[in-house]
Amino acid sequence: MASLGKVGSAATINDVADRSGVSIKTVSRVINQEAGVHPLTRERVLKVVAELKYRPKLSARSLAGARSFLIGLLYYDPSAAFVGDVQQGATLRCREAGYHLVVESLHNDAPDLAQQVTRMVSALQPDGMILTPPLCDNPAVLKALRENQTPYVLLSPARNAKGIASVRMDDAKAAEEITNLLISLGHERIAFIKGPEDQAASGLRYQGFLRAMKAHRLSVDQEFVCDGDFVFASGVEAAHQLLSRRVRPTAVFAGNDDMALGVLAAAQRLGLAVPGDLSIAGFDDSPAASLVWPPLTTVRQPKNAMARVAVEMLIAANRTDAPEVAEDILHRVLPHELVVRDSTSRLKEKTNVQSKRR
Amino acid sequence: MASLGKVGSAATINDVADRSGVSIKTVSRVINQEAGVHPLTRERVLKVVAELKYRPKLSARSLAGARSFLIGLLYYDPSAAFVGDVQQGATLRCREAGYHLVVESLHNDAPDLAQQVTRMVSALQPDGMILTPPLCDNPAVLKALRENQTPYVLLSPARNAKGIASVRMDDAKAAEEITNLLISLGHERIAFIKGPEDQAASGLRYQGFLRAMKAHRLSVDQEFVCDGDFVFASGVEAAHQLLSRRVRPTAVFAGNDDMALGVLAAAQRLGLAVPGDLSIAGFDDSPAASLVWPPLTTVRQPKNAMARVAVEMLIAANRTDAPEVAEDILHRVLPHELVVRDSTSRLKEKTNVQSKRR
DNA sequence: CTGAAAGCGCTTACAG
DNA sequence: CTGAAAGCGCTTACAG
């Protein structure tokens, strides 16, 4: 066993160099897949690497070189469902590329937020950071990152800024599609529950809803548009308002799943059959969306893929030969997925009497 | 600005030493809070540290010293809800201690699992690893960690092993308490839905249920004990079985929330009022538990606290002056919390006619 | 295609 | 209470 390297301590680049009869520089070249190493030399080195189970230490590479092989993920916990998938995508892509993901949960309103970010990046020297909402819209965080010269990519930011990389889906288009689905099922009296005004997705989803309604020449009764704040309770409240009207909507499109779940609960308590008496659609495909009956029709964000793309952008930007990236490639929009389940169905004929088509 | 250190590049320990007129060794002592530095010297150094915004780089500390200030968290994604809280606790505790959390999502059945773990720890050289179920029960993972001499703590492992640190809650006791709650509400015909056999929690929760029933001299009809596998659909199925019996249970205790949600959905579809006709209790306090109506009575695991304790154990074990830890301190059991919500209520008098008390 | 030297920014082991 | 020297394990910049 002693021939397999020093017992008890892991092999280093020197051990590999000695054993393969080359310099550490050549071992380094092989490890980093640099061109210009004789195939036979490469082969010999790789063989020894395998024998000695040599793994270069990140700390040494990071200290000596320009890369740390660390990507940071910053998030604010309440959006746990969103972060879970993002993290999954990021961690897998990192592994494929030999990188590692360091996560930090930050409070978006913390007074020392900038300092926390600075502390993290100056200690870790990550090759890049990924920011999720609402941190990706927090000027203090972005400023701290810029000052510490750390590249970053924003996931679903409120708006695209010139020169700042972002990855998102098309919220408006997805909302339009959900609305179109409801319309195609015969619904015309479709209610919408908005999200909080300070979140960009709220407005975009509402716009998509309006666009679809308008395209089909369906009127949007303001009594059918409710304010919500993306939490269960606001869905319940909106449902009570909507369902107490003399003329009820036949379908409700909630700006997110949590509110849609609230509508579902309220409807069922009032004795309405879903989707028989009321179709309900949400947005997000949260875990709970398939943990109720009927399971919710909703939109799945490509969170996993968004994170993978973000990791790729950061790794690419860190290569020494990184080309200047064109502005339009800096802002990626990934395809989403409509998830049609049992909370929506074709409108019953009889309730379709008083058409609002104009 | 030039007086605040080299422009464009961060301050190093040399900059601090120069400016405070001491050696880098003394700066190191101050940074590491070692004893035996003159108070005035310490003060002077700290002042310069603040002026220069000096932050020691992890890579250099890690390469030179015995610590990396990195803690790893290994998880298998399907348990996302569990992991979210764990990660939250771990990341916060890490920050307090100047550590950072590196996460990796592993597939429990991956053929190269051990290699993945080895790759991670040999590259990162983390000061410790935290494992969540089911990875904490995976021999291949534990073996890889041992071989790489990386300390680890298991979160809620199936069983305690001598000399291996673990943090958990008392599943059996919590299940007993939930059962006692139902009994105290007048229920006697209480059904239980088990989890999958290969998960330790399943058995423990069932034992707790049995213990409470026995203590109150209530018979456990085997027709009221269903098999499940911790997913929604199995709750639905169990509910259909239970509710099709001539004598129905008045309360159902599901081994976890997802199954309880299934029971809730099934009961409501059958036109039963919850909790009026049927009380339902779950286990886990998953996010969805409060996103339905009625919200679920359940048990909250101290996941956040468990993770904090795990981080503390790892940091403590890494100190050079770390004492030998006694076996009983190696296995920590943290207090849980009963979350009583609206899915459980007092038994209606009339249905209580045929008492099963013996 | 390959290598010798220097150095990244810290801690360790030792000396005083 | 403080410091000079060596070294951690790599990459960089350069030379051949």
Side-chain angles (χ1 to χ4, degrees):
Chain A
M1 282 301 258
S3 63
L4 290 182
K6 297 174 211 148
V7 172
S9 69
T12 71
I13 195 170
N14 283 301
D15 300 329
V16 178
D18 288 354
R19 199 178 231 258
S20 10
V22 299
S23 71
I24 61 169
K25 174 64 219 185
T26 293
V27 176
S28 175
R29 284 193 182 96
V30 172
I31 292 294
N32 291 295
Q33 310 192 50
E34 287 174 32
V37 177
H38 193 98
L40 261 58
T41 310
R42 178 183 303 279
E43 200 176 308
R44 189 149 32 98
V45 171
L46 285 176
K47 185 157 163 279
V48 175
V49 164
E51 283 171 11
L52 262 39
K53 295 181 183 170
Y54 168 63
R55 304 263 172 227
K57 270 158 208 50
L58 244 47
S59 56
R61 301 180 85 178
S62 179
L63 182 58
R67 296 180 296 175
S68 67
F69 298 93
L70 256 26
I71 300 281
L73 171 64
L74 258 33
Y75 68 98
Y76 175 42
D77 194 55
S79 48
F82 182 85
V83 174
D85 282 342
V86 166
Q87 182 170 311
Q88 180 71 2
T91 185
L92 294 186
R93 190 68 193 84
C94 276
R95 179 159 66 222
E96 290 167 9
Y99 276 67
H100 296 271
L101 190 72
V102 184
V103 298
E104 189 120 7
S105 170
L106 263 24
H107 194 97
N108 196 38
D109 302 320
D112 60 340
L113 189 56
Q115 204 186 114
Q116 287 177 12
V117 173
T118 295
R119 217 183 284 261
M120 178 180 183
V121 297
S122 49
L124 243 27
Q125 307 270 99
D127 291 341
M129 300 285 280
I130 299 174
L131 310 195
T132 59
L135 293 171
C136 60
D137 300 317
N138 191 314
V141 174
L142 303 191
K143 181 155 170 281
L145 253 23
R146 236 176 294 123
E147 284 175 358
N148 289 281
Q149 324 203 51
T150 306
Y152 53 89
V153 175
L154 311 184
L155 253 41
S156 296
R159 59 198 67 75
N160 287 343
K162 203 175 166 186
I164 297 180
S166 68
V167 187
R168 61 167 75 248
M169 64 167 283
D170 190 337
D171 278 83
K173 191 173 161 214
E176 196 177 345
E177 289 170 11
I178 282 276
T179 311
N180 283 340
L181 168 71
L182 293 171
I183 294 173
S184 75
L185 290 171
H187 295 278
E188 302 190 334
R189 294 203 308 278
I190 304 173
F192 185 83
I193 308 178
K194 294 195 214 175
E197 285 190 14
D198 63 344
Q199 291 202 36
S202 304
L204 293 170
R205 292 170 192 180
Y206 183 48
Q207 282 166 33
F209 165 72
L210 291 180
R211 213 152 65 198
M213 293 296 274
K214 199 169 177 184
H216 289 83
R217 299 176 182 283
L218 290 172
S219 68
V220 176
D221 190 335
Q222 278 310 307
E223 292 210 317
F224 281 179
V225 177
C226 299
D227 291 323
D229 57 6
F230 277 171
V231 307
F232 183 77
S234 68
V236 172
E237 195 186 333
H240 282 142
Q241 281 176 33
L242 293 169
L243 301 175
S244 66
R245 304 212 179 287
R246 208 182 50 79
V247 180
R248 287 176 168 174
T250 63
V252 177
F253 174 16
N256 78 346
D257 282 350
D258 283 6
M259 296 195 299
L261 255 16
V263 175
L264 175 63
Q268 290 177 332
R269 286 189 75 186
L270 291 171
L272 292 181
V274 175
D277 298 325
L278 185 73
S279 281
I280 301 175
F283 203 110
D284 283 345
D285 193 26
S286 72
S290 43
L291 292 179
V292 291
W293 206 92
L296 287 183
T297 289
T298 184
V299 173
R300 177 145 50 217
Q301 292 202 53
K303 297 185 279 260
N304 196 299
M306 283 162 61
R308 296 183 75 96
V309 169
V311 169
E312 271 158 27
M313 290 172 92
L314 290 171
I315 293 178
N318 240 274
R319 277 201 290 262
T320 43
D321 59 339
E324 270 303 299
V325 182
E327 186 67 20
D328 60 331
I329 292 189
L330 219 50
H331 305 298
R332 297 279 303 269
V333 178
L334 265 35
H336 54 264
E337 187 185 346
L338 241 56
V339 183
V340 181
R341 288 195 281 237
D342 298 334
S343 68
T344 49
S345 69
R346 177 155 293 283
L347 182 67
K348 283 193 239 165
E349 287 309 322
K350 56 172 182 175
T351 59
N352 199 16
V353 177
Q354 41 172 321
S355 172
K356 281 211 165 187
R357 205 178 286 267
R358 52 183 178 184
Chain B
M1 281 305 258
S3 63
L4 291 181
K6 298 175 211 147
V7 172
S9 70
T12 72
I13 197 170
N14 283 301
D15 300 329
V16 177
D18 288 352
R19 199 177 230 259
S20 11
V22 298
S23 72
I24 61 169
K25 174 66 220 185
T26 293
V27 176
S28 176
R29 286 193 180 96
V30 172
I31 291 295
N32 290 296
Q33 309 193 53
E34 287 173 32
V37 177
H38 193 97
L40 263 57
T41 309
R42 178 183 302 278
E43 200 176 309
R44 190 148 34 98
V45 170
L46 285 176
K47 188 158 161 277
V48 174
V49 164
E51 284 171 7
L52 262 37
K53 295 180 180 168
Y54 169 64
R55 304 262 171 229
K57 270 159 208 49
L58 243 49
S59 56
R61 301 181 84 177
S62 179
L63 181 58
R67 296 179 296 176
S68 68
F69 298 93
L70 256 25
I71 300 281
L73 172 64
L74 258 33
Y75 67 98
Y76 175 43
D77 194 56
S79 49
F82 182 85
V83 174
D85 282 342
V86 165
Q87 183 170 311
Q88 180 70 2
T91 185
L92 294 186
R93 190 69 193 84
C94 276
R95 181 158 66 221
E96 290 168 9
Y99 276 67
H100 296 271
L101 189 72
V102 184
V103 299
E104 190 120 5
S105 171
L106 262 26
H107 194 96
N108 195 40
D109 303 320
D112 59 341
L113 190 55
Q115 203 184 115
Q116 287 177 13
V117 173
T118 296
R119 217 183 284 261
M120 178 181 183
V121 298
S122 49
L124 242 28
Q125 308 270 100
D127 291 341
M129 299 287 279
I130 299 174
L131 311 194
T132 59
L135 293 172
C136 59
D137 300 317
N138 191 314
V141 174
L142 304 190
K143 179 154 172 282
L145 254 21
R146 236 177 293 122
E147 284 175 357
N148 288 280
Q149 324 202 51
T150 306
Y152 54 88
V153 176
L154 311 184
L155 252 40
S156 296
R159 59 199 66 77
N160 287 342
K162 204 176 167 187
I164 297 182
S166 69
V167 186
R168 61 168 74 248
M169 65 165 284
D170 190 339
D171 278 82
K173 191 173 162 216
E176 195 177 348
E177 290 170 12
I178 282 275
T179 311
N180 282 340
L181 168 71
L182 293 170
I183 295 173
S184 75
L185 288 172
H187 295 279
E188 302 190 335
R189 297 203 305 279
I190 304 174
F192 184 83
I193 308 177
K194 293 195 214 174
E197 285 190 13
D198 62 345
Q199 291 201 38
S202 304
L204 293 170
R205 292 172 191 179
Y206 183 48
Q207 282 167 33
F209 165 72
L210 292 179
R211 210 151 69 198
M213 294 295 276
K214 197 169 182 184
H216 289 83
R217 300 175 180 284
L218 291 172
S219 68
V220 176
D221 190 336
Q222 279 309 309
E223 293 210 317
F224 281 178
V225 176
C226 299
D227 290 325
D229 56 6
F230 276 171
V231 307
F232 183 78
S234 69
V236 172
E237 194 187 331
H240 283 141
Q241 283 176 32
L242 292 169
L243 300 176
S244 66
R245 305 213 177 288
R246 209 183 48 78
V247 180
R248 286 176 169 175
T250 64
V252 177
F253 175 16
N256 78 346
D257 282 349
D258 284 6
M259 295 195 299
L261 255 15
V263 176
L264 175 63
Q268 290 178 333
R269 284 189 77 185
L270 292 171
L272 292 182
V274 176
D277 298 326
L278 184 72
S279 280
I280 301 174
F283 204 111
D284 282 345
D285 193 26
S286 72
S290 44
L291 292 179
V292 291
W293 207 92
L296 288 183
T297 289
T298 184
V299 173
R300 177 144 52 216
Q301 293 203 52
K303 296 185 279 260
N304 195 299
M306 284 162 62
R308 296 183 74 96
V309 168
V311 170
E312 271 157 27
M313 291 172 92
L314 289 171
I315 293 178
N318 240 273
R319 276 200 291 262
T320 44
D321 60 337
E324 271 302 299
V325 182
E327 186 67 20
D328 60 330
I329 291 190
L330 219 49
H331 305 297
R332 298 280 302 270
V333 178
L334 265 35
H336 54 264
E337 186 186 345
L338 242 56
V339 182
V340 181
R341 288 196 281 236
D342 299 334
S343 67
T344 49
S345 69
R346 176 155 293 283
L347 182 68
K348 282 193 241 166
E349 288 310 322
K350 57 173 183 175
T351 60
N352 199 16
V353 176
Q354 41 173 321
S355 174
K356 282 210 166 187
R357 204 177 289 264
R358 51 182 178 188

